[in-house]
Amino acid sequence: EVQLVESGGGLVQPGGSLKLSCAASGFTFSDSPMHWVRQASGKGLEWVGRIRTRANNYATIYAASVKGRFTISRDDSKNTAYLQLNNLKTEDTAIYYCSAPIAVTGISGIYWGQGKLVTVSS
Amino acid sequence: DIQMTQSPSSLSASVGDRVTITCRASQDISNYLAWFQQKPGKAPKSLIYAASTLQSGVPSKFSGGGSGTYFTLTISSLQPEDFATYYCQQYNSDPRTFGQGTKLEIK
């Protein structure tokens, strides 16, 4: 069974930092790009960014709203993706989801973690 | 960036109805489109990818169609558990973009 489990959310002051983790199981993690998506309370889904696989040089790209402040990384030996959030603003308050597109017969599709709440407030 | 526009933004329907939600892209995205369902307080759930391919485990009452710039999600024989918010997302190019969502409510 494909599973994505996020950890690391919480309350942080404006200007602070936080690191989210997304632990994957049930598929070959190293073969899948990993995405992060967020959702502010009562709002729609906003794509944050993604990291590609080793075969694609672990290339990253970010939404304009977080570029230069957020960093996505991965550790294939730990089957885990990370989202480092720096210089946080109140408008970054949201639930953060990791997501993985999988192209394997029988389980192909897009999978989501359960989400982690990040609250930026003084 | 590619803009994704869903319509309607909200929709009232009755149990047993068949409904269709549309999603338009601001430029050609081929069939690189996914549909998600989200219930209050829950993570999104994937329904369809590649515009019309049902994700494993998703019932066949959900169907997707379209290509290029115009896409549809049809839900047949609505049941109480189908009332939720639905989002489309293009993955033809980065940044990936979502539609604003369609809230499906019970009439």
Side-chain angles (χ1 to χ4, degrees):
Chain A
E1 179 192 7
V2 174
Q3 282 197 317
L4 299 172
V5 179
E6 293 111 341
S7 60
L11 174 65
V12 61
Q13 292 187 336
S17 297
L18 202 63
K19 189 172 187 176
L20 302 179
S21 300
C22 173
S25 61
F27 65 104
T28 305
F29 177 77
S30 58
D31 287 348
S32 178
M34 293 296 296
H35 296 253
W36 289 90
V37 174
R38 69 182 180 181
Q39 186 173 37
S41 180
K43 303 296 184 182
L45 299 170
E46 179 187 13
W47 182 80
V48 172
R50 64 102 175 106
I51 184 167
R52 285 183 165 160
T53 62
R54 180 183 179 185
N56 291 284
N57 299 313
Y58 299 124
T60 56
I61 188 168
Y62 303 92
S65 57
V66 306
K67 191 175 182 179
R69 300 187 300 120
F70 291 10
T71 302
I72 300 172
S73 60
R74 63 191 295 160
D75 185 337
D76 290 345
S77 69
K78 296 182 179 179
N79 289 346
T80 301
Y82 304 96
L83 178 63
Q84 176 71 45
L85 302 83
N86 294 334
N87 189 21
L88 282 160
K89 306 175 181 180
T90 54
E91 54 264 39
D92 295 319
T93 295
I95 297 173
Y96 286 75
Y97 299 98
C98 61
S99 173
I102 297 172
V104 174
T105 301
I107 62 168
S108 291
I110 302 168
Y111 293 82
W112 295 75
Q114 85 283 6
K116 266 301 176 181
L117 178 61
V118 172
T119 303
V120 184
S121 175
S122 55
Chain B
D1 299 0
I2 297 174
Q3 307 301 314
M4 305 300 293
T5 305
Q6 287 182 234
S7 61
S9 295
S10 63
L11 176 60
S12 294
S14 301
V15 172
D17 283 355
R18 180 175 186 253
V19 297
T20 296
I21 298 167
T22 65
C23 180
R24 291 182 184 271
S26 61
Q27 62 191 73
D28 189 341
I29 60 169
S30 184
N31 69 333
Y32 295 105
L33 184 101
W35 288 98
F36 307 106
Q37 176 195 66
Q38 188 177 35
K39 297 180 180 179
K42 299 295 186 181
K45 174 187 174 184
S46 297
L47 299 174
I48 286 169
Y49 62 95
S52 60
T53 302
L54 222 54
Q55 178 137 341
S56 175
V58 174
S60 59
K61 62 187 302 180
F62 294 94
S63 63
S67 66
T69 63
Y70 182 79
F71 302 87
T72 60
L73 172 69
T74 298
I75 312 169
S76 62
S77 186
L78 281 171
Q79 296 302 305
E81 61 269 23
D82 300 327
F83 292 92
T85 299
Y86 293 84
Y87 295 93
C88 62
Q89 184 203 27
Q90 67 81 19
Y91 54 98
N92 179 72
S93 63
D94 296 321
R96 311 286 172 102
T97 41
F98 290 91
Q100 79 278 17
T102 295
K103 187 173 184 179
L104 178 56
E105 299 174 304
I106 298 178
K107 186 182 290 183

